Amino acid sequence: MSMSTPLRDTILDQLQAGQWRPGDRLPTERELASRFNVSRTTVRKALLELKAQGLIEQTVGSGTFVTEHVSARLGRRVQQDSSQHTSPAALMEARLAMEPAIIEMAIRNANQADLQRMDACCDHAERAETLEAFEHWDAELHQAIADAAHNSFVANVFTLMKTVRAQGDWGQLKKKSVTPERRLAYQTEHRAIVEALRDRDAQRARELTLAHLLHVRQNLLGY
């Protein structure tokens, strides 16, 4: 971790709070160094990191300004922070609450391309030679089902869930819990869910999704 990280995070927090808005000019390096009691070298490093993130822009002779894209870029940072602090148990709780409900939206809105994408995810998962590859295509299938709802908010929530699944804690638990037999069971459950979606059978799709998630939770967390 670099020396500039605490200062960078402090400035990020102030941007998040709206202390500086798009187009605003930031204090000079000298003023920032004095305000935060750090060296100008530390300030310079922090500003370079913020510039690399697209949050500020620097113009020779004019100063340092907040970019017009700051809100969108800060939104992505909030997503990343959320994903890094979400436990596997919290993720499973959220999935159990949301996925059976979202499946009904997918039943109504899924088109042929959506169903073909789900089939492809199942194909890739079944051919996967490593657990990491299987887990990737497992997550992609659930994302494909969410995308089939054709609701941008739902798709964004599932993208965040997928980010959480990529974190170390989930991966370590999955590695310990997934035996060859359990993987085969998951693959069978995935195929059954996709078939229920293809048949537009909302009750069966919802029940299969809930049963699958409970099965995963039992294997992963032991309850």
Side-chain angles (χ1 to χ4, degrees), residues 7-149:
L7 174 59
R8 180 200 62 196
D9 287 348
T10 298
I11 296 174
L12 277 169
D13 289 340
Q14 295 190 355
L15 288 168
Q16 191 81 54
Q19 180 166 332
W20 295 306
R21 299 182 180 280
D24 282 357
R25 181 177 175 177
L26 266 62
T28 65
E29 287 181 8
R30 187 192 301 274
E31 289 167 340
L32 287 169
S34 174
R35 181 183 302 186
F36 296 107
N37 196 28
V38 295
S39 71
R40 289 185 67 175
T41 301
T42 296
V43 171
R44 202 166 294 124
K45 286 181 181 176
L47 294 178
L48 280 173
E49 291 174 12
L50 293 167
K51 184 178 179 181
Q53 291 177 262
L55 299 170
I56 63 169
E57 52 194 1
Q58 294 173 303
T59 307
V60 177
S62 297
T64 302
F65 297 87
V66 181
T67 67
E68 295 299 322
H69 310 293
V70 67
S71 297
R73 294 187 183 278
L74 284 172
R76 282 202 288 275
R77 176 186 174 237
V78 170
Q79 269 201 349
Q80 289 163 358
D81 288 350
S82 298
S83 70
Q84 288 166 4
H85 295 98
T86 302
S87 69
L91 174 61
M92 277 308 316
E93 188 174 28
R95 291 183 66 188
L96 280 160
M98 287 188 279
E99 290 193 43
I102 288 166
I103 205 92
E104 294 193 26
M105 297 169 67
I107 289 278
R108 290 196 301 271
N109 299 321
N111 57 37
Q112 195 57 39
D114 294 322
L115 293 166
Q116 288 172 353
R117 179 182 167 196
M118 293 174 209
D119 286 335
C121 289
C122 289
D123 290 342
H124 284 295
E126 288 163 9
R127 290 198 301 264
E129 296 182 0
T130 65
L131 177 60
E132 288 76 18
F134 172 73
E135 171 66 8
H136 168 78
W137 288 108
D138 181 335
E140 287 296 321
L141 172 63
H142 287 275
Q143 180 78 52
I145 292 171
D147 289 347

